[in-house]
Amino acid sequence: MIANNVIKACIFDLDGVIVDTAHYHFLAWKRLANELGIDLTIEDNERLKGVSRLDSLEIILNLRGISLPTEEKERLANKKNSWFVDYVLRMSPDEIFPGVKQLIHELKKQNIKIGLASSSKNAKTVIHLLQIENEFDAIVDGTMIRYSKPDPEIFILAASKLGVEPQHCLVFEDAEAGVEAALAAGMKCVGIGSANQLGKADIVISKTGEFNIATLQQLSTV
Ligand code: G6P
Ligand code: MG
């Protein structure tokens, strides 16, 4: 019998976990916010991580209590996205965070399935540019979900595509909303970033490439 907590699948967020596109999202949102006369700080930006495009815009507008008609919000969100896509299209495969590809290969050697769960509608473009689209056994992106993180929908869907029950899944997340979503899905979670921000995760490491099989085994026994 397999113990309840053995890890059989690892599900990776994309932006800020596999590559530093989280920074590109920040630059594009900051530029849009500046045009609206809003100063978007790094602290404010933490709340945008893992959150859908329109929900992110809403958070920014709420910083100044601005309310706008839907069409205008869509126009602004599209503008931000075109700047973001400009950054992304200049990316090369060597921008993948150090050690991430090796980690995925190590996990596969342990018969661990690999999933991607990103709220971004640009996720497939990003993994194509990084030349890693064939590394994943299942991919869920922002075009396939109704609710963005912290709702667990994205991780539940990824687990079902992988054919692995949530309790056997381990999520890698850099967003507070993403950690909450993973835990709400009944999964274990590795926070990538600072323990202040991601303290609810089972463990927090500063970089994805620092994770190793020994840590995986520890998480499988607690
Ligand atoms: C990810 C990022 C968010 C971003 C969201 C939607 O979750 O962490 O910062 O807002 O995807 O991305 P998109 O590329 O669809 O605008
Ligand atoms: Mg992220």
Side-chain angles (χ1 to χ4, degrees), residues 12-19 21-22 25 48-51 117-119 149 172-176 178 192:
F12 291 82
D13 172 48
L14 176 64
D15 300 314
V17 167
I18 290 180
V19 62
T21 34
H25 279 294
L48 310 183
K49 289 185 180 173
V51 175
S118 166
S119 310
K149 301 164 188 176
F172 290 74
E173 257 298 342
D174 69 319
E176 206 173 342
I192 308 296

Side-chain angles (χ1 to χ4, degrees), residues 52-69:
S52 74
R53 201 178 302 166
L54 278 171
D55 288 350
S56 299
L57 176 63
E58 205 65 62
I59 292 172
I60 292 172
L61 295 174
N62 281 340
L63 291 172
R64 289 285 175 284
I66 300 171
S67 70
L68 294 172

